[in-house]
Amino acid sequence: MTHRIQRALISVSDKSGVENFARQLSQLGVEILSTGGTYAALRKGGVAVREVSDHTGSPEMMDGRVKTLHPKIHGGILALRDDARHTGAMAEHGIAPIDLVVVNLYPFEATIAKPGVSRAEAIENIDIGGPSMVRSAAKNHRFVGIVTDPADYGRVLDEMTRGEGALTDTFRRELAAKAYALTARYDAAIAAWMNEQEVASGSTTTRFPQSFAMAGTKVADLRYGENPHQLAAFYALGGAREASLASAAVLNGKQLSYNNLVDLDAALALAREFTEPFVAVCKHNNPCGAASAETIATALEAAWEGDPVSAFGSVLSFTRTVDLASAEFLVSGNRFVEAVVAPGFDEDAFRLLVDKPKWGKNVRLLAIGDLARPRDARELEVKKLIGGFLLQERDLAAAGEGDCKVVTRRKPTLEEIASLLFAERVAKHVKSNAIVIAKGTQVLGVGAGQMSRVDSVHM
């Protein structure tokens, strides 16, 4: 069912591309309604636009909290155009149809991600009118197009040009599904933040609410999943408060695979245990080498020596910028890795890695940025089961010297205790049964994933 778009309501927080989009809609004969900052931006850009308060006959009030919550807005969006009772009510109450709704929401996730944000500021960035219009338009997608992503502006214009001012049923259904995914993610972020606030204030004693929701935005479709016959995609959670793969800049290399991402996440989690120069060498979610040292290049060499056979085709994580000495070590001999994640790459190191034959076209280089930000204890770990999932707190604890109880005849030296604590932090990231053998701050051997601890030790 196709209906020519005659009237559009545009109200966006993210104004990228909106002026040009509205101008082209206007040139296609569409009347533009708008509110607040969007109205001001379109008017300043010379776009023919009518203010919503003029359309409804009611002023914006309560600092803009009430502006689109009006029968002339929601009636114009929700009315079924093929139902005589609906069209009769529209005629009786002077409600004009709204055929296209262009809305993106107040930046709640970006707001709560800011350090030191107040509760009042976070609350003011909970959008009410926006989600209401998005849900109304998505529900009535047989007649109304709902656009929540500036990336879709071009597609809307192309469809309208081809369809003599109308959008196809298929496209409207696609936009509606995308719109509900947006509101689901938005509400999930608000619910999670509110529960965190209650936990922090002591109003509740449990971190695990009666209902739990999480939602993300797709970063990329992946070539395949854990195995070639599985489809997969990578999603980012909103409001992230620490460095992660979701926010990393991919500087070089082939497309990241599902297994690359899982391995890199494991390597990064291990690296975050350390603040000194440290390198982890990971394969199949487990470290096969790890070391800390006075310089990052020395740490890399010691980590690689832990298991140079398994290190071929591994992923690496660094707690310092990759320097030229580290890059020279990697490209020498018969060494090769799938991916490297680090705070950054010195220019000469980057050039060596990307210009070296065998390396440049293949190795993925990811800049994670500042690792000094503390790990976020408020974030929960999720383990998917068939028919459900498990939640748990993140394991961010690290044993110190004061946690050690000597039960042997010989008391260990301070150097031995320091080495033990280093190995303990590495063992936390090894799949059980986990055995880590270290000397100083260098891992010499890892036994992982065996049903028997004895077998892990032998390995």
Side-chain angles (χ1 to χ4, degrees), residues 95-114:
I95 297 173
I98 296 173
D99 312 301
L100 185 70
V101 175
V102 183
V103 170
N104 52 60
L105 309 179
Y106 292 172
F108 178 78
E109 291 173 318
T111 299
I112 60 172
K114 294 188 298 186

Side-chain angles (χ1 to χ4, degrees), residues 268-420:
L268 181 61
L270 174 52
R272 294 303 306 274
E273 296 283 349
F274 300 88
T275 57
E276 64 267 32
F278 172 87
V279 175
V281 183
C282 290
K283 196 81 168 283
H284 303 304
N285 305 340
N286 280 298
C288 54
S292 62
E294 290 188 3
T295 69
I296 198 66
T298 306
L300 169 61
E301 186 172 351
W304 192 277
E305 287 175 353
D307 187 349
V309 174
S310 297
F312 189 91
S314 61
V315 304
L316 307 181
S317 60
F318 288 64
T319 60
R320 297 289 189 276
T321 296
V322 177
D323 59 12
L324 181 60
S326 299
E328 288 174 338
F329 174 82
L330 287 174
V331 301
S332 63
N334 189 35
R335 298 187 181 96
F336 181 72
V337 300
E338 289 285 340
V340 179
V341 60
F345 297 81
D346 285 343
E347 186 175 350
D348 50 3
F350 179 77
R351 288 265 54 92
L352 178 59
L353 291 171
V354 301
D355 291 342
K356 185 75 172 179
K358 182 181 78 169
W359 282 78
K361 292 182 179 180
N362 298 310
V363 66
R364 293 96 164 167
L365 304 179
L366 288 81
I368 199 75
D370 182 14
L371 286 180
R373 284 183 292 169
R375 292 173 293 176
D376 188 359
R378 294 170 295 182
E379 192 170 298
L380 297 173
E381 289 184 349
V382 183
K383 172 69 175 178
K384 179 70 175 70
L385 306 180
I386 295 174
F389 55 87
L390 302 170
L391 289 181
Q392 70 171 356
E393 295 179 324
R394 296 176 70 184
D395 183 7
L396 303 181
E401 186 177 344
D403 300 306
C404 297
K405 180 181 178 181
V406 177
V407 296
T408 55
R409 289 190 181 93
R410 181 177 73 81
K411 184 177 181 180
T413 66
L414 292 177
E415 291 77 12
E416 287 171 332
I417 290 176
S419 187
L420 172 66

Side-chain angles (χ1 to χ4, degrees), residues 154-331:
R155 295 180 65 197
V156 170
L157 293 169
D158 289 344
E159 283 244 350
M160 290 179 64
T161 301
R162 287 194 301 268
E164 298 181 349
L167 303 178
T168 64
D169 291 346
T170 300
F171 189 42
R172 277 185 271 105
R173 288 197 299 268
E174 177 191 335
L175 291 173
K178 191 170 184 176
Y180 278 123
L182 171 66
T183 57
R185 172 185 170 180
Y186 200 73
D187 285 339
I190 295 168
W193 176 80
M194 285 197 157
N195 190 64
E196 287 175 0
Q197 297 297 299
E198 294 308 297
V199 171
S201 69
S203 299
T204 180
T205 57
T206 178
R207 295 199 60 196
F208 308 107
Q210 192 64 32
S211 295
F212 180 85
M214 61 185 297
T217 301
K218 187 162 68 175
V219 175
D221 288 307
L222 304 176
R223 287 181 296 164
Y224 50 80
E226 187 174 3
N227 298 292
H229 61 275
Q230 295 172 272
L231 299 177
F234 178 33
Y235 285 78
L237 295 173
R241 288 161 286 211
E242 66 178 88
S244 70
L245 296 179
S247 59
V250 181
L251 306 179
N252 184 74
K254 296 188 296 185
Q255 180 185 12
L256 288 162
S257 71
Y258 180 97
N259 291 325
N260 288 153
L261 289 163
V262 173
D263 284 342
L264 283 165
D265 188 63
L268 181 61
L270 174 52
R272 294 303 306 274
E273 296 283 349
F274 300 88
T275 57
E276 64 267 32
F278 172 87
V279 175
V281 183
C282 290
K283 196 81 168 283
H284 303 304
N285 305 340
N286 280 298
C288 54
S292 62
E294 290 188 3
T295 69
I296 198 66
T298 306
L300 169 61
E301 186 172 351
W304 192 277
E305 287 175 353
D307 187 349
V309 174
S310 297
F312 189 91
S314 61
V315 304
L316 307 181
S317 60
F318 288 64
T319 60
R320 297 289 189 276
T321 296
V322 177
D323 59 12
L324 181 60
S326 299
E328 288 174 338
F329 174 82
L330 287 174
V331 301

Side-chain angles (χ1 to χ4, degrees), residues 5-9 33 55 72-78 81 90 95-101 140 143-145:
I5 294 171
Q6 299 182 64
R7 186 173 291 102
L9 193 158
L33 305 177
H55 176 77
K72 286 193 174 182
I73 298 299
H74 286 275
I77 296 170
L78 282 165
R81 276 55 160 176
M90 292 174 74
I95 297 173
I98 296 173
D99 312 301
L100 185 70
V101 175
N140 203 26
F143 303 99
V144 180

Side-chain angles (χ1 to χ4, degrees), residues 36-69:
T38 307
Y39 170 80
L42 296 182
R43 189 174 177 85
K44 182 178 179 181
V47 178
V49 58
R50 186 182 183 196
E51 200 161 14
V52 160
S53 58
D54 181 47
H55 176 77
T56 62
S58 297
E60 291 187 16
M61 61 183 74
M62 302 174 188
D63 298 320
R65 285 188 170 200
V66 179
K67 49 191 173 188
T68 58
L69 298 170

